[in-house]
Amino acid sequence: MTKDVPEQGSFSAKDYHDPPPAPFIDPGELTKWSFYRAVIAEFVATLLFLYITVLTVIGYKAQTDPAKNLDQCGGVGILGIAWAFGGMIFVLVYCTAGISGGHINPAVTFGLFLARKVSLIRAFMYMVAQCLGAICGVGLVKAFHKTYYNNYGGGANELADGYNKGTGLGAEIIGTFVLVYTVFSATDPKRSARDSHVPVLAPLPIGFAVFMVHLATIPITGTGINPARSLGAAVIYNKEKAWDDQWIFWVGPFIGAAIAAFYHQFILRAGAVKALGSFRSSSHV
């Protein structure tokens, strides 16, 4: 008599269990050093992210300034800017994933909060740290390169000429959906258990998602998909256009993150079916 052999790609129930959802509010976190260490890690990572990426944007504009008759094909180009954003996310997520989860983005934090991966207290403190880190990172750029910073837009996100606000909002929603969906997929513990024979470094697809979204949306909005990034540049640059468009870079990413969280948790992971089945079972008791 032969034993049943699981199909290829399947896994035993003993090999995987869904982690319990994070408490909605967990005051106990406030008494732990690991919590504050994670908040500090988010602050520093976002500071470094904004410093390197905004400096790259300003450097590119300075190298291709038409008023100086410079080579318009010089500098790193849009491709290089996209690589700077995607590459820094790869590096920083790799460095901080084991400490804070490597969010570096309020939209990512919001999506993970909706999926019950982090508590409300942790989500709020992460977002505060990310925004403060972004402001400080852009502030460093301005401190070191004040003339270039003021002359070349400060790295601020603004809706490009020829696009209406609806188009900009849509670009931010879809771009953030791609990013947060990738975050959920790359960090899914079920995937890790099922595909343990395939070593996938989670920061790599996340960084590539940021890279690809920047290629598509830099010409439209300069690519936000990260409210802290947009806020930090707007605060330090402090021009009317950057503030007029600021809402796009908060509403769009938060909507995109919410859709990604719903899609992954309730469609791909069949969370709605499980919840309905649990409700039906309890109703017959």
Side-chain angles (χ1 to χ4, degrees), residues 115-142:
R116 300 290 302 277
K117 305 293 185 183
V118 295
S119 69
L120 177 62
I121 292 174
R122 183 174 291 264
F124 174 76
M125 290 302 294
Y126 274 18
M127 291 182 190
V128 171
Q130 290 156 359
C131 291
L132 291 177
I135 293 169
C136 292
V138 182
L140 285 177
V141 175
K142 184 174 182 178

PDB file of all heavy atoms in Angstrom, residues 115-142:
ATOM      1  N   ALA A 115      -3.443  45.166   6.822  1.00  0.00           N
ATOM      2  CA  ALA A 115      -3.368  43.706   6.774  1.00  0.00           C
ATOM      3  C   ALA A 115      -3.068  43.108   8.149  1.00  0.00           C
ATOM      4  O   ALA A 115      -2.822  41.898   8.252  1.00  0.00           O
ATOM      5  CB  ALA A 115      -2.300  43.276   5.776  1.00  0.00           C
ATOM      6  N   ARG A 116      -3.051  43.940   9.170  1.00  0.00           N
ATOM      7  CA  ARG A 116      -2.789  43.514  10.552  1.00  0.00           C
ATOM      8  C   ARG A 116      -1.396  42.940  10.727  1.00  0.00           C
ATOM      9  O   ARG A 116      -1.178  41.999  11.490  1.00  0.00           O
ATOM     10  CB  ARG A 116      -3.850  42.512  11.013  1.00  0.00           C
ATOM     11  CG  ARG A 116      -5.276  43.012  11.018  1.00  0.00           C
ATOM     12  CD  ARG A 116      -5.542  44.039  12.082  1.00  0.00           C
ATOM     13  NE  ARG A 116      -5.254  43.548  13.425  1.00  0.00           N
ATOM     14  CZ  ARG A 116      -6.114  42.811  14.142  1.00  0.00           C
ATOM     15  NH1 ARG A 116      -7.312  42.521  13.634  1.00  0.00           N
ATOM     16  NH2 ARG A 116      -5.807  42.417  15.355  1.00  0.00           N
ATOM     17  N   LYS A 117      -0.433  43.510  10.016  1.00  0.00           N
ATOM     18  CA  LYS A 117       0.960  43.094  10.164  1.00  0.00           C
ATOM     19  C   LYS A 117       1.670  43.926  11.225  1.00  0.00           C
ATOM     20  O   LYS A 117       2.683  43.499  11.773  1.00  0.00           O
ATOM     21  CB  LYS A 117       1.707  43.232   8.833  1.00  0.00           C
ATOM     22  CG  LYS A 117       1.071  42.494   7.666  1.00  0.00           C
ATOM     23  CD  LYS A 117       1.118  41.005   7.827  1.00  0.00           C
ATOM     24  CE  LYS A 117       0.573  40.302   6.583  1.00  0.00           C
ATOM     25  NZ  LYS A 117       0.540  38.821   6.748  1.00  0.00           N
ATOM     26  N   VAL A 118       1.181  45.139  11.460  1.00  0.00           N
ATOM     27  CA  VAL A 118       1.741  46.013  12.498  1.00  0.00           C
ATOM     28  C   VAL A 118       0.588  46.650  13.260  1.00  0.00           C
ATOM     29  O   VAL A 118      -0.523  46.789  12.736  1.00  0.00           O
ATOM     30  CB  VAL A 118       2.654  47.118  11.903  1.00  0.00           C
ATOM     31  CG1 VAL A 118       3.884  46.526  11.251  1.00  0.00           C
ATOM     32  CG2 VAL A 118       1.882  47.984  10.907  1.00  0.00           C
ATOM     33  N   SER A 119       0.859  47.047  14.497  1.00  0.00           N
ATOM     34  CA  SER A 119      -0.168  47.682  15.321  1.00  0.00           C
ATOM     35  C   SER A 119      -0.341  49.150  14.924  1.00  0.00           C
ATOM     36  O   SER A 119       0.495  49.722  14.221  1.00  0.00           O
ATOM     37  CB  SER A 119       0.213  47.586  16.798  1.00  0.00           C
ATOM     38  OG  SER A 119       1.338  48.420  17.069  1.00  0.00           O
ATOM     39  N   LEU A 120      -1.412  49.750  15.420  1.00  0.00           N
ATOM     40  CA  LEU A 120      -1.669  51.161  15.143  1.00  0.00           C
ATOM     41  C   LEU A 120      -0.552  52.040  15.714  1.00  0.00           C
ATOM     42  O   LEU A 120      -0.104  52.990  15.060  1.00  0.00           O
ATOM     43  CB  LEU A 120      -3.016  51.569  15.733  1.00  0.00           C
ATOM     44  CG  LEU A 120      -3.400  53.051  15.588  1.00  0.00           C
ATOM     45  CD1 LEU A 120      -3.516  53.439  14.121  1.00  0.00           C
ATOM     46  CD2 LEU A 120      -4.710  53.333  16.324  1.00  0.00           C
ATOM     47  N   ILE A 121      -0.104  51.740  16.915  1.00  0.00           N
ATOM     48  CA  ILE A 121       0.952  52.538  17.547  1.00  0.00           C
ATOM     49  C   ILE A 121       2.235  52.474  16.725  1.00  0.00           C
ATOM     50  O   ILE A 121       2.879  53.492  16.456  1.00  0.00           O
ATOM     51  CB  ILE A 121       1.208  52.049  18.987  1.00  0.00           C
ATOM     52  CG1 ILE A 121      -0.010  52.357  19.868  1.00  0.00           C
ATOM     53  CG2 ILE A 121       2.474  52.685  19.561  1.00  0.00           C
ATOM     54  CD1 ILE A 121       0.082  51.799  21.276  1.00  0.00           C
ATOM     55  N   ARG A 122       2.606  51.271  16.305  1.00  0.00           N
ATOM     56  CA  ARG A 122       3.835  51.113  15.517  1.00  0.00           C
ATOM     57  C   ARG A 122       3.689  51.807  14.166  1.00  0.00           C
ATOM     58  O   ARG A 122       4.616  52.480  13.704  1.00  0.00           O
ATOM     59  CB  ARG A 122       4.162  49.631  15.328  1.00  0.00           C
ATOM     60  CG  ARG A 122       5.476  49.382  14.571  1.00  0.00           C
ATOM     61  CD  ARG A 122       5.806  47.907  14.540  1.00  0.00           C
ATOM     62  NE  ARG A 122       6.154  47.393  15.837  1.00  0.00           N
ATOM     63  CZ  ARG A 122       7.401  47.250  16.284  1.00  0.00           C
ATOM     64  NH1 ARG A 122       8.428  47.604  15.502  1.00  0.00           N
ATOM     65  NH2 ARG A 122       7.642  46.757  17.474  1.00  0.00           N
ATOM     66  N   ALA A 123       2.532  51.665  13.534  1.00  0.00           N
ATOM     67  CA  ALA A 123       2.316  52.296  12.233  1.00  0.00           C
ATOM     68  C   ALA A 123       2.429  53.815  12.344  1.00  0.00           C
ATOM     69  O   ALA A 123       3.081  54.469  11.513  1.00  0.00           O
ATOM     70  CB  ALA A 123       0.944  51.907  11.676  1.00  0.00           C
ATOM     71  N   PHE A 124       1.802  54.385  13.377  1.00  0.00           N
ATOM     72  CA  PHE A 124       1.851  55.840  13.562  1.00  0.00           C
ATOM     73  C   PHE A 124       3.278  56.324  13.804  1.00  0.00           C
ATOM     74  O   PHE A 124       3.734  57.297  13.183  1.00  0.00           O
ATOM     75  CB  PHE A 124       0.947  56.245  14.737  1.00  0.00           C
ATOM     76  CG  PHE A 124       1.039  57.703  15.086  1.00  0.00           C
ATOM     77  CD1 PHE A 124       0.414  58.663  14.302  1.00  0.00           C
ATOM     78  CD2 PHE A 124       1.764  58.126  16.195  1.00  0.00           C
ATOM     79  CE1 PHE A 124       0.504  60.013  14.613  1.00  0.00           C
ATOM     80  CE2 PHE A 124       1.858  59.461  16.510  1.00  0.00           C
ATOM     81  CZ  PHE A 124       1.230  60.409  15.723  1.00  0.00           C
ATOM     82  N   MET A 125       3.994  55.650  14.681  1.00  0.00           N
ATOM     83  CA  MET A 125       5.363  56.069  14.995  1.00  0.00           C
ATOM     84  C   MET A 125       6.293  55.890  13.795  1.00  0.00           C
ATOM     85  O   MET A 125       7.192  56.713  13.572  1.00  0.00           O
ATOM     86  CB  MET A 125       5.885  55.285  16.195  1.00  0.00           C
ATOM     87  CG  MET A 125       5.216  55.650  17.507  1.00  0.00           C
ATOM     88  SD  MET A 125       5.395  57.414  17.924  1.00  0.00           S
ATOM     89  CE  MET A 125       7.171  57.511  18.173  1.00  0.00           C
ATOM     90  N   TYR A 126       6.087  54.830  13.019  1.00  0.00           N
ATOM     91  CA  TYR A 126       6.880  54.652  11.801  1.00  0.00           C
ATOM     92  C   TYR A 126       6.653  55.806  10.836  1.00  0.00           C
ATOM     93  O   TYR A 126       7.593  56.343  10.250  1.00  0.00           O
ATOM     94  CB  TYR A 126       6.499  53.340  11.114  1.00  0.00           C
ATOM     95  CG  TYR A 126       7.226  52.111  11.604  1.00  0.00           C
ATOM     96  CD1 TYR A 126       7.880  52.093  12.831  1.00  0.00           C
ATOM     97  CD2 TYR A 126       7.244  50.942  10.849  1.00  0.00           C
ATOM     98  CE1 TYR A 126       8.529  50.961  13.277  1.00  0.00           C
ATOM     99  CE2 TYR A 126       7.904  49.812  11.279  1.00  0.00           C
ATOM    100  CZ  TYR A 126       8.534  49.816  12.500  1.00  0.00           C
ATOM    101  OH  TYR A 126       9.187  48.690  12.934  1.00  0.00           O
ATOM    102  N   MET A 127       5.389  56.182  10.647  1.00  0.00           N
ATOM    103  CA  MET A 127       5.085  57.259   9.705  1.00  0.00           C
ATOM    104  C   MET A 127       5.694  58.582  10.156  1.00  0.00           C
ATOM    105  O   MET A 127       6.229  59.342   9.341  1.00  0.00           O
ATOM    106  CB  MET A 127       3.576  57.404   9.539  1.00  0.00           C
ATOM    107  CG  MET A 127       2.919  56.254   8.810  1.00  0.00           C
ATOM    108  SD  MET A 127       1.141  56.529   8.593  1.00  0.00           S
ATOM    109  CE  MET A 127       0.605  54.922   8.011  1.00  0.00           C
ATOM    110  N   VAL A 128       5.637  58.857  11.448  1.00  0.00           N
ATOM    111  CA  VAL A 128       6.252  60.084  11.974  1.00  0.00           C
ATOM    112  C   VAL A 128       7.755  60.052  11.730  1.00  0.00           C
ATOM    113  O   VAL A 128       8.355  61.037  11.263  1.00  0.00           O
ATOM    114  CB  VAL A 128       5.948  60.244  13.475  1.00  0.00           C
ATOM    115  CG1 VAL A 128       6.774  61.388  14.070  1.00  0.00           C
ATOM    116  CG2 VAL A 128       4.463  60.494  13.702  1.00  0.00           C
ATOM    117  N   ALA A 129       8.384  58.923  12.029  1.00  0.00           N
ATOM    118  CA  ALA A 129       9.832  58.796  11.850  1.00  0.00           C
ATOM    119  C   ALA A 129      10.218  58.928  10.379  1.00  0.00           C
ATOM    120  O   ALA A 129      11.224  59.570  10.039  1.00  0.00           O
ATOM    121  CB  ALA A 129      10.304  57.452  12.402  1.00  0.00           C
ATOM    122  N   GLN A 130       9.417  58.341   9.515  1.00  0.00           N
ATOM    123  CA  GLN A 130       9.703  58.409   8.072  1.00  0.00           C
ATOM    124  C   GLN A 130       9.608  59.846   7.563  1.00  0.00           C
ATOM    125  O   GLN A 130      10.464  60.304   6.793  1.00  0.00           O
ATOM    126  CB  GLN A 130       8.731  57.502   7.313  1.00  0.00           C
ATOM    127  CG  GLN A 130       8.975  56.016   7.541  1.00  0.00           C
ATOM    128  CD  GLN A 130       7.741  55.172   7.303  1.00  0.00           C
ATOM    129  OE1 GLN A 130       6.664  55.687   6.972  1.00  0.00           O
ATOM    130  NE2 GLN A 130       7.865  53.872   7.479  1.00  0.00           N
ATOM    131  N   CYS A 131       8.581  60.555   7.979  1.00  0.00           N
ATOM    132  CA  CYS A 131       8.412  61.944   7.527  1.00  0.00           C
ATOM    133  C   CYS A 131       9.528  62.844   8.058  1.00  0.00           C
ATOM    134  O   CYS A 131      10.078  63.672   7.322  1.00  0.00           O
ATOM    135  CB  CYS A 131       7.046  62.480   7.947  1.00  0.00           C
ATOM    136  SG  CYS A 131       5.655  61.713   7.081  1.00  0.00           S
ATOM    137  N   LEU A 132       9.881  62.672   9.328  1.00  0.00           N
ATOM    138  CA  LEU A 132      10.968  63.469   9.902  1.00  0.00           C
ATOM    139  C   LEU A 132      12.300  63.124   9.234  1.00  0.00           C
ATOM    140  O   LEU A 132      13.121  64.009   8.949  1.00  0.00           O
ATOM    141  CB  LEU A 132      11.057  63.238  11.405  1.00  0.00           C
ATOM    142  CG  LEU A 132       9.898  63.786  12.253  1.00  0.00           C
ATOM    143  CD1 LEU A 132      10.076  63.416  13.717  1.00  0.00           C
ATOM    144  CD2 LEU A 132       9.781  65.299  12.093  1.00  0.00           C
ATOM    145  N   GLY A 133      12.521  61.847   8.970  1.00  0.00           N
ATOM    146  CA  GLY A 133      13.742  61.427   8.293  1.00  0.00           C
ATOM    147  C   GLY A 133      13.836  62.011   6.899  1.00  0.00           C
ATOM    148  O   GLY A 133      14.912  62.448   6.463  1.00  0.00           O
ATOM    149  N   ALA A 134      12.706  62.038   6.185  1.00  0.00           N
ATOM    150  CA  ALA A 134      12.682  62.599   4.836  1.00  0.00           C
ATOM    151  C   ALA A 134      13.011  64.095   4.864  1.00  0.00           C
ATOM    152  O   ALA A 134      13.790  64.591   4.046  1.00  0.00           O
ATOM    153  CB  ALA A 134      11.320  62.370   4.194  1.00  0.00           C
ATOM    154  N   ILE A 135      12.417  64.814   5.801  1.00  0.00           N
ATOM    155  CA  ILE A 135      12.686  66.259   5.917  1.00  0.00           C
ATOM    156  C   ILE A 135      14.165  66.501   6.209  1.00  0.00           C
ATOM    157  O   ILE A 135      14.802  67.373   5.600  1.00  0.00           O
ATOM    158  CB  ILE A 135      11.797  66.879   7.009  1.00  0.00           C
ATOM    159  CG1 ILE A 135      10.327  66.840   6.585  1.00  0.00           C
ATOM    160  CG2 ILE A 135      12.223  68.313   7.311  1.00  0.00           C
ATOM    161  CD1 ILE A 135       9.345  67.189   7.689  1.00  0.00           C
ATOM    162  N   CYS A 136      14.722  65.725   7.113  1.00  0.00           N
ATOM    163  CA  CYS A 136      16.143  65.892   7.463  1.00  0.00           C
ATOM    164  C   CYS A 136      17.050  65.518   6.289  1.00  0.00           C
ATOM    165  O   CYS A 136      18.067  66.176   6.048  1.00  0.00           O
ATOM    166  CB  CYS A 136      16.490  65.039   8.680  1.00  0.00           C
ATOM    167  SG  CYS A 136      15.714  65.596  10.220  1.00  0.00           S
ATOM    168  N   GLY A 137      16.682  64.471   5.557  1.00  0.00           N
ATOM    169  CA  GLY A 137      17.495  64.056   4.415  1.00  0.00           C
ATOM    170  C   GLY A 137      17.552  65.122   3.335  1.00  0.00           C
ATOM    171  O   GLY A 137      18.631  65.437   2.807  1.00  0.00           O
ATOM    172  N   VAL A 138      16.402  65.703   3.007  1.00  0.00           N
ATOM    173  CA  VAL A 138      16.374  66.777   2.005  1.00  0.00           C
ATOM    174  C   VAL A 138      17.050  68.027   2.564  1.00  0.00           C
ATOM    175  O   VAL A 138      17.706  68.772   1.828  1.00  0.00           O
ATOM    176  CB  VAL A 138      14.930  67.082   1.564  1.00  0.00           C
ATOM    177  CG1 VAL A 138      14.920  68.160   0.488  1.00  0.00           C
ATOM    178  CG2 VAL A 138      14.254  65.823   1.028  1.00  0.00           C
ATOM    179  N   GLY A 139      16.904  68.240   3.867  1.00  0.00           N
ATOM    180  CA  GLY A 139      17.571  69.374   4.492  1.00  0.00           C
ATOM    181  C   GLY A 139      19.086  69.292   4.353  1.00  0.00           C
ATOM    182  O   GLY A 139      19.759  70.315   4.135  1.00  0.00           O
ATOM    183  N   LEU A 140      19.626  68.091   4.442  1.00  0.00           N
ATOM    184  CA  LEU A 140      21.068  67.906   4.257  1.00  0.00           C
ATOM    185  C   LEU A 140      21.481  68.247   2.825  1.00  0.00           C
ATOM    186  O   LEU A 140      22.533  68.855   2.603  1.00  0.00           O
ATOM    187  CB  LEU A 140      21.464  66.471   4.590  1.00  0.00           C
ATOM    188  CG  LEU A 140      21.509  66.104   6.070  1.00  0.00           C
ATOM    189  CD1 LEU A 140      21.848  64.627   6.222  1.00  0.00           C
ATOM    190  CD2 LEU A 140      22.529  66.961   6.810  1.00  0.00           C
ATOM    191  N   VAL A 141      20.654  67.845   1.871  1.00  0.00           N
ATOM    192  CA  VAL A 141      20.955  68.161   0.468  1.00  0.00           C
ATOM    193  C   VAL A 141      21.019  69.672   0.286  1.00  0.00           C
ATOM    194  O   VAL A 141      21.960  70.200  -0.335  1.00  0.00           O
ATOM    195  CB  VAL A 141      19.899  67.559  -0.477  1.00  0.00           C
ATOM    196  CG1 VAL A 141      20.161  67.989  -1.926  1.00  0.00           C
ATOM    197  CG2 VAL A 141      19.893  66.035  -0.379  1.00  0.00           C
ATOM    198  N   LYS A 142      20.045  70.372   0.822  1.00  0.00           N
ATOM    199  CA  LYS A 142      20.027  71.829   0.679  1.00  0.00           C
ATOM    200  C   LYS A 142      21.207  72.474   1.402  1.00  0.00           C
ATOM    201  O   LYS A 142      21.807  73.440   0.912  1.00  0.00           O
ATOM    202  CB  LYS A 142      18.716  72.395   1.214  1.00  0.00           C
ATOM    203  CG  LYS A 142      18.591  73.908   1.016  1.00  0.00           C
ATOM    204  CD  LYS A 142      17.227  74.423   1.430  1.00  0.00           C
ATOM    205  CE  LYS A 142      17.110  75.920   1.181  1.00  0.00           C
ATOM    206  NZ  LYS A 142      15.769  76.449   1.536  1.00  0.00           N
TER     207      LYS A 142
END
